Amino acid sequence: MKELLQQDLSVVNVGLQSFAANITAAGGRATSVTWAPPAGADPALGWTLATLIGDPRIEAANTIAFERYLGAQPRLVDLVRAGEVMAGLGPGERRILHAGPPIDWPDMCGPQRGAIAGAILYEGWADDLDAAEKLAGSGEVALEPCHEHGAVGPMAGIISPSMPVWVVENTASGNRAYSNLNEGLGKVLRFGANSPDVLERLRWLGSDFFTTMQVAVRGLADPDLKPLMAQALHMGDELHNRNAAASGLLFKRLTLALLGSDLASDAVRRALEFVAGNDHFFLNISMAAAKSMSDAAAGVPGSSMVTVMARNGINFGIKLSGNGNQWFQAPANPVDGLYFPGYTVDDAAADLGDSAITETNGLGGFAMAASPAIVQFVGGTPADATANSRRMLSITLGTNPAFTLPPLNFGGTPAGIDARLVADSGILPIINTGIAHRQAGVGQIGAGITTAPMDCFTGALAALASGLQK
């Protein structure tokens, strides 16, 4: 013992950092290992987690789900009205789709209520805003999540029957996903705005713009989205909050498709000017592509792979591949971000939108290493962006070799969130997000970073374990 104490002290410290600090202060060396009890130190949940780690049934199911995700090939195949292709939105149906997990009208946040009222006016189901809000609260209009209809929408996420939707098909298995058009920034429906100028823009998007873009999409020489998205990652996008490169790449394809069309030049010019002036134009297509890829992995019994993450401005919800169509919800975590001048956290709505489907697929916050410039918008440093991507490797089944990150030596993005690894490590999926004002129609007031709440994952794992025992 005397000989041991005379040697240079070199300690591996597990747990509290203060123990290491004391050793260092005394002249020793200490290497700290960050550790916390798994499953939030809940004994029952810890035991459940222990039974799931290494379960050969789950491992086999996750292999199938992850391979289906990796094999997905999203292709932009059409732009059509929602009611023409989406079940439940056909003629005579009064149904509006919204972002996030299920929620009733009285419980919705301000932006989502404002956007639904605006969609009712857009459809002509009410003559004024008061009548639209009463109709929404009467139960005569069905309000359901986009994800229940194979669709996704940013922020409020509103899709109504006559709105145009992008159609993205995973050609590997034939499943399709849908998303609405991006209106640009400012006062827009997805932030709850429903004024006459907002509705006028929506009507133009649903008429002249729709006609022009439909011709362009149907005439695309190269409709494959995966290579375009991969190229955009190499050009500084992360395909959630930054889509400048992807929007530019799509603009070139759309322009070439329109050059030989018989459409009126004024209509073509106005449509292309709108696309060129909207750096977020590709976001909705990125989301539909991501939805088509994650849906390919859904429905594998026993799989702990996350296939949906979505928020409705109140709650955060997830789905696992192995739990069927079941939602697992918890209150949405606050957003740590940068606010536009004049706004603070007190003005903000809780995390909102289906756009976390990008993170579900290894993009967005998981691909921040590809987009160091994004930190000027959401906060942090370029080093933080790279660290975030590296940290997500701890909770994923693998990486996506189709989406590579130059700062990580062209390694693939972390992909295939495993709910078991989230609960075991305590590391939560990170999400880049915009911040909406809590009042309808004010618009975006900032952007930042948030995480999915742990209770979603622990609830989903408890259900998965119960299903395996049957």
Side-chain angles (χ1 to χ4, degrees):
M1 179 65 70
K2 181 178 179 182
E3 182 180 350
L4 176 64
L5 293 176
Q6 290 175 341
Q7 297 176 9
D8 291 338
L9 191 60
S10 183
V11 175
V12 175
N13 178 62
V14 180
L16 295 177
Q17 293 285 337
S18 58
F19 291 167
N22 291 335
I23 293 170
T24 302
R29 291 179 295 169
T31 300
S32 291
V33 177
T34 302
W35 181 86
D42 182 318
L45 184 59
W47 176 252
T48 297
L49 181 61
T51 66
L52 298 178
I53 297 291
D55 187 318
R57 296 169 296 175
I58 298 177
E59 301 301 332
N62 281 345
T63 297
I64 294 171
F66 192 58
E67 286 179 349
R68 289 179 181 176
Y69 155 72
L70 290 179
Q73 297 296 331
R75 174 176 288 185
L76 181 60
V77 296
D78 214 343
L79 178 68
V80 295
R81 299 195 188 282
E84 297 175 9
V85 291
M86 299 178 65
L89 295 180
E93 297 274 4
R94 286 195 170 188
R95 178 174 280 104
I96 292 177
L97 309 184
H98 62 77
I103 189 169
D104 294 328
W105 170 260
D107 301 323
M108 289 182 176
C109 67
Q112 204 160 67
R113 286 169 65 112
I116 288 172
I120 289 174
L121 292 176
Y122 173 78
E123 294 292 339
W125 298 340
D127 294 328
D128 57 53
L129 192 56
D130 287 341
E133 291 175 346
K134 289 179 182 178
L135 183 61
S138 70
E140 295 181 26
V141 176
L143 306 175
E144 298 174 1
C146 290
H147 274 289
E148 299 301 304
H149 294 263
V152 280
M155 303 310 292
I158 302 304
I159 298 177
S160 62
S162 61
M163 289 182 179
V165 291
W166 301 109
V167 183
V168 174
E169 180 176 323
N170 165 26
T171 58
S173 60
N175 63 290
R176 289 187 166 190
Y178 311 95
S179 187
N180 50 10
L181 295 175
N182 193 287
E183 310 155 79
L185 297 177
K187 293 186 180 300
V188 291
L189 190 76
R190 70 177 183 275
F191 285 107
N194 50 36
S195 57
D197 57 321
V198 172
L199 296 177
E200 181 181 357
R201 184 193 305 113
L202 286 174
R203 292 188 179 107
W204 174 71
L205 289 171
S207 55
D208 291 352
F209 183 83
F210 166 68
T211 300
T212 304
M213 281 298 108
Q214 186 180 68
V215 170
V217 170
R218 292 178 177 179
L220 286 174
D222 182 5
D224 289 330
L225 293 173
K226 220 170 185 177
L228 186 154
M229 295 164 73
Q231 185 178 358
L233 286 173
H234 290 185
M235 297 170 68
D237 282 359
E238 37 76 84
L239 295 166
H240 183 170
N241 264 300
R242 192 179 193 279
N243 285 276
S247 296
L249 293 170
L250 180 66
F251 175 82
K252 290 196 295 184
R253 294 187 184 186
L254 295 172
T255 301
L256 289 173
L258 288 171
L259 286 178
S261 74
D262 295 328
L263 296 172
S265 60
D266 287 347
V268 171
R269 182 173 61 252
R270 187 180 178 193
L272 290 177
E273 284 175 349
F274 178 81
V275 177
N278 182 2
D279 282 346
H280 289 283
F281 188 76
F282 190 80
L283 169 62
N284 300 51
I285 299 173
S286 172
M287 291 170 57
K291 175 66 172 168
S292 75
M293 291 188 286
S294 64
D295 275 1
V300 180
S303 173
S304 58
M305 179 175 164
V306 178
T307 55
V308 169
M309 295 196 297
R311 314 88 92 208
N312 57 28
I314 302 293
N315 292 326
F316 195 110
I318 72 167
K319 293 184 181 184
L320 298 191
S321 173
N323 282 337
N325 200 36
Q326 190 174 0
W327 286 96
F328 300 91
Q329 302 185 50
N333 286 338
V335 180
D336 180 15
L338 301 176
Y339 287 85
F340 300 161
Y343 297 106
T344 69
V345 65
D346 294 332
D347 300 308
D351 198 19
L352 175 65
D354 287 334
S355 54
I357 194 66
T358 54
E359 278 82 6
T360 312
N361 283 265
L363 303 169
F366 283 51
M368 284 183 71
S371 185
I374 196 68
V375 299
Q376 294 181 308
F377 190 49
V378 300
T381 67
D384 293 332
T386 300
N388 284 332
S389 294
R390 292 187 185 279
R391 190 163 65 254
M392 294 302 99
L393 291 168
S394 302
I395 60 171
T396 49
L397 294 170
T399 60
N400 189 335
F403 298 142
T404 57
L405 305 175
L408 298 187
N409 296 321
F410 291 93
T413 59
I417 301 168
D418 186 343
R420 299 174 305 168
L421 297 178
V422 174
D424 188 38
S425 67
I427 297 173
L428 297 170
I430 193 165
I431 298 166
N432 293 343
T433 184
I435 304 173
H437 197 284
R438 57 188 175 83
Q439 295 179 1
V442 175
Q444 185 172 3
I445 61 172
I449 293 174
T450 189
T451 54
M454 179 62 78
D455 286 351
C456 292
F457 299 93
T458 56
L461 289 172
L464 185 66
S466 177
L468 289 170
Q469 293 171 1
K470 294 179 181 178

